[in-house]
Amino acid sequence: MPDWVESLRGVILLVVWAVLVLRISAIWRAPQRPVWVVLLVLATGSLMIQAPVGRWLDSTTGVAKAGELSVALVALTDFAAVWWFAVALHMAGHSTPAWLRRAPAVSAATMAVLAVVFFVITPAPDRFGAQAHGWWAGYAVAWITFGLLTAVGAGALFWRHGITMRSPVLRLSMLALAVGTTAELPYLAIRAVRWFTEAPPTLALVGFWCSFTRFVLVALGCSLAALEPLRKAALFWYRRQRLYGLWMLLRQATPELVVIAPRSRVSDVLTLSNTWEQLHQRVIDIRDSITFLHDGWASPQLLREAAQRAAGLGHRDRERLLAAACWIEATRRDALAGAAKLHHELDKDLLPEVHASESTVHREIRHLLRLHRALRTRTVQAFADTVQHRPPATAAP
């Protein structure tokens, strides 16, 4: 192997251990613990494949090829752990037969026993050679069979769930694991060719790249899922910031609803905790302010005139949005001016749509942002400037 191969093994070591540290919090979360177990085994394997570690094991134990046996034992544990992880993910939403739940552990234990037996009965020069001779041919057959079993078993489950995941990050995570485990198949095919035929040296490099791909993608696949909460938190924070202008506009007009003084823009930008709760509360505040304006200062005449002003301006949804913006702007001005409340019994038809769950809040936010843009249009501002919807003041006797 060229010298740069050892350098890339060092890259594998850094990537996998960095991911292991990144996901250390998974130890204390039972649903995520299998991910960290896989990463721990993978990290141990990335350490064992380093040439100095193998030489140290050989010299410490005094047993020829003891370092390579250790690599093989860690590798088979790694293969089985990834399969076990795939089965654990599958079990979360599907009934799984007992034999499949036990298969990763049983196959790993069987292969470990076979590896040690063949290591003991095979003469030292034939162990882990470029080609399989004598007893070592039995080890080669067992290893290829075991590798195919674990790669196909894990890959099939990762592909199945990867293409059906709705979350983009989780889908990418599953597909990275699927591609990583699938990369074992050409590696095993190349390993079989090299063990039983006179293969060209370049084939060994292709096999190394397959192994490199498998290490990196499995590690990244296990870590990408950790980014999903961060992605969601950033998305909720971003949506909250987009609503700040409308929220502040309405909060200033409805101070009676304000329990805690509104934060400044800088303070709001720097508030990074509980992002979903903060966004949900902002939507509720906006909705409450609009309802408060509607119940306090709107009149049947105002709603009729708002609907008439918006009529013929576009699609029905756009007309409804503009009508709502017209009466909201008019009542907002009344509230800021301290006008007396009217308290009419009104139809709720022109109130904005309500979507209360996390899955639908994006649609509501889009509607509120369109409403904010509508409030600043010339049509709405001109309507609020000219509309006369309040009863005339009673003349003094």
Side-chain angles (χ1 to χ4, degrees):
M1 284 285 190
D3 293 339
W4 54 264
V5 169
E6 289 302 323
S7 299
L8 285 179
R9 284 176 176 164
V11 171
I12 292 173
L13 181 72
L14 291 175
V15 169
V16 176
W17 279 90
V19 171
L20 181 71
V21 173
L22 175 68
R23 295 303 310 271
I24 197 167
S25 61
I27 299 175
W28 295 278
R29 300 173 184 172
Q32 297 182 17
R33 203 167 294 143
V35 177
W36 201 81
V37 172
V38 170
L39 287 172
L40 179 62
V41 176
L42 200 66
T44 305
S46 70
L47 181 64
M48 298 301 296
I49 63 174
Q50 307 302 316
V53 175
R55 290 194 294 268
W56 177 80
L57 285 171
D58 289 348
S59 61
T60 300
T61 61
V63 177
K65 306 293 182 67
E68 294 194 56
L69 175 63
S70 299
V71 170
L73 293 175
V74 173
L76 68 88
T77 305
D78 174 10
F79 289 176
V82 172
W83 188 14
W84 166 73
F85 176 46
V87 172
L89 287 176
H90 183 71
M91 287 170 57
H94 301 81
S95 59
T96 307
W99 67 265
L100 182 56
R101 295 196 299 268
R102 293 192 293 264
V106 171
S107 60
T110 302
M111 186 63 227
V113 171
L114 290 173
V116 172
V117 169
F118 282 116
F119 185 85
V120 171
I121 65 176
T122 302
D126 293 338
R127 298 169 183 166
F128 298 101
Q131 290 189 307
H133 298 293
W135 287 107
W136 202 247
Y139 170 86
V141 171
W143 180 261
I144 296 299
T145 303
F146 168 76
L148 288 172
L149 179 65
T150 56
V152 172
L157 293 175
F158 286 138
W159 281 114
R160 175 178 177 178
H161 293 289
I163 61 178
T164 58
M165 283 284 182
R166 299 181 65 180
S167 164
V169 174
L170 292 179
R171 185 187 307 118
L172 183 60
S173 177
M174 287 294 104
L175 292 178
L177 288 165
V179 174
T181 51
T182 303
E184 292 177 34
L185 299 178
Y187 165 78
L188 292 168
I190 291 170
R191 180 69 267 188
V193 170
R194 293 179 57 220
W195 260 328
F196 296 107
T197 66
E198 292 289 344
T202 54
L203 205 57
L205 284 178
V206 176
F208 167 78
W209 281 114
C210 291
S211 178
F212 179 87
T213 300
R214 193 262 179 191
F215 259 107
V216 172
L217 287 183
V218 170
L220 292 179
C222 289
S223 62
L224 285 174
L227 300 179
E228 176 68 356
L230 298 179
R231 183 192 72 86
K232 281 191 171 184
L235 180 62
F236 296 149
W237 175 88
Y238 171 70
R239 289 175 176 171
R240 190 180 87 235
Q241 296 311 312
R242 294 194 68 191
L243 288 174
Y244 183 88
L246 178 61
W247 174 70
M248 183 60 72
L249 191 72
L250 296 172
R251 290 277 96 177
Q252 290 172 346
T254 56
E256 298 94 329
L257 302 181
V258 177
V259 178
I260 301 175
R263 293 188 294 263
S264 68
R265 190 59 191 264
V266 173
S267 177
D268 195 67
V269 167
L270 296 177
T271 302
L272 304 176
S273 60
N274 301 320
T275 53
W276 161 245
E277 289 80 1
Q278 297 271 357
L279 172 63
H280 189 54
Q281 185 60 51
R282 179 145 302 171
V283 172
I284 291 174
D285 289 346
I286 292 171
R287 190 188 304 148
D288 288 348
S289 291
I290 291 174
T291 302
F292 191 72
L293 292 174
H294 181 272
D295 294 345
W297 287 273
S299 66
Q301 178 187 345
L302 173 64
L303 298 183
R304 281 195 303 271
E305 292 190 23
Q308 291 169 0
R309 178 61 63 91
L313 295 179
H315 188 270
R316 182 177 179 279
D317 289 343
R318 175 168 168 75
E319 291 178 2
R320 188 175 185 276
L321 179 75
L322 285 171
C326 285
W327 73 255
I328 288 172
E329 178 62 16
T331 56
R332 187 186 72 83
R333 294 186 184 188
D334 282 347
L336 285 172
K341 294 180 181 179
L342 302 177
H343 295 300
H344 286 289
E345 290 292 332
L346 300 171
D347 186 359
K348 305 292 185 181
D349 182 60
L350 286 183
L351 283 173
E353 299 175 15
V354 174
H355 303 285
S357 69
E358 182 176 331
S359 61
T360 57
V361 75
H362 180 51
R363 185 162 30 133
E364 182 166 8
I365 289 171
R366 280 205 314 267
H367 181 76
L368 292 176
L369 291 173
R370 288 170 56 214
L371 177 64
H372 191 203
R373 288 193 295 269
L375 284 169
R376 294 174 296 191
T377 62
R378 291 180 182 178
T379 300
V380 171
Q381 292 297 316
F383 174 84
D385 289 339
T386 59
V387 67
Q388 297 293 332
H389 70 99
R390 302 184 66 82
T394 303

